[in-house]
Amino acid sequence: CSKDGRYEKIVDYNKQVLVQIKVSNFTGITYETDGGAIHVVNGGLQCEKIFFKDCKSFSGAGGAIFLDNTYQFDNEITLDHLDFTQCEASYGGAVYIYASAAANIVSIKYCTFTENIATASKSTDHKFGGAAIFLTARKAKLYRNKYVRNNGPGGSLKFCNSFDRDG
């Protein structure tokens, strides 16, 4: 993590990478653009038993977690027993995931999303909504998650099946 408590990993070479974060707390972490607390590009992410509170992305997606995966690797994306409370972003108030490869399976299970906010208004570019989760993936499993008082246009969950980066 950086001095401000934020974790960022950008993979810019053709190699499979898995970021594992277990039993941690991210509280009050803010960032100007995508991913208030965690920002991963072209890598897998495995998170277990983490608490996110008041994490914010001021002008981007994913108040707590931002994951953007365009490489054609079998990158594991697993969020298990996480708690997101009062996180905020333009879209994907708590979590934003883009995984274009068919080999990537997104798994979000036993997570709690409470009072997260997606601030962007409805627009033609579809970059709004998903107060808890904004998900663009070819394969995903969401299992036994809890959504409580999340707020933003389009509800707590937003699923997007457009793999065109312009929307």
Side-chain angles (χ1 to χ4, degrees), residues 57-124:
S57 167
F58 292 115
S59 64
I65 296 175
F66 174 89
L67 185 110
D68 186 347
N69 226 332
T70 59
Y71 284 1
Q72 297 299 310
F73 289 124
D74 181 6
N75 283 320
E76 179 181 348
I77 302 164
T78 301
L79 307 182
D80 187 3
H81 284 91
L82 309 185
D83 191 318
F84 300 89
T85 302
Q86 297 173 341
C87 295
E88 184 177 321
S90 295
Y91 52 103
V95 175
Y96 171 88
I97 297 174
Y98 179 92
S100 62
N104 294 177
I105 298 175
V106 177
S107 175
I108 303 173
K109 57 187 179 181
Y110 301 106
C111 296
T112 302
F113 298 86
T114 306
E115 297 178 351
N116 300 289
I117 300 170
T119 60
S121 300
K122 288 186 178 182
S123 63
T124 57

Side-chain angles (χ1 to χ4, degrees), residues 17-72:
V17 173
L18 176 64
V19 175
Q20 293 181 317
I21 303 173
K22 298 182 181 185
V23 191
S24 295
N25 290 319
F26 291 89
T27 302
I29 310 288
T30 60
Y31 197 69
E32 185 59 37
T33 60
D34 299 318
I38 297 174
H39 181 105
V40 176
V41 175
N42 292 322
L45 179 64
Q46 183 182 64
C47 292
E48 295 177 20
K49 299 178 184 171
I50 300 175
F51 181 77
F52 297 89
K53 181 172 182 169
D54 198 32
C55 294
K56 295 180 181 169
S57 167
F58 292 115
S59 64
I65 296 175
F66 174 89
L67 185 110
D68 186 347
N69 226 332
T70 59
Y71 284 1
Q72 297 299 310

Side-chain angles (χ1 to χ4, degrees), residues 138-159:
R138 297 189 190 279
K139 296 180 183 176
K141 298 176 188 176
L142 280 71
Y143 183 74
R144 295 211 174 196
N145 298 302
K146 184 176 179 181
Y147 307 92
V148 181
R149 294 183 305 278
N150 297 289
N151 191 9
S156 292
L157 300 172
K158 181 166 184 180
F159 299 102

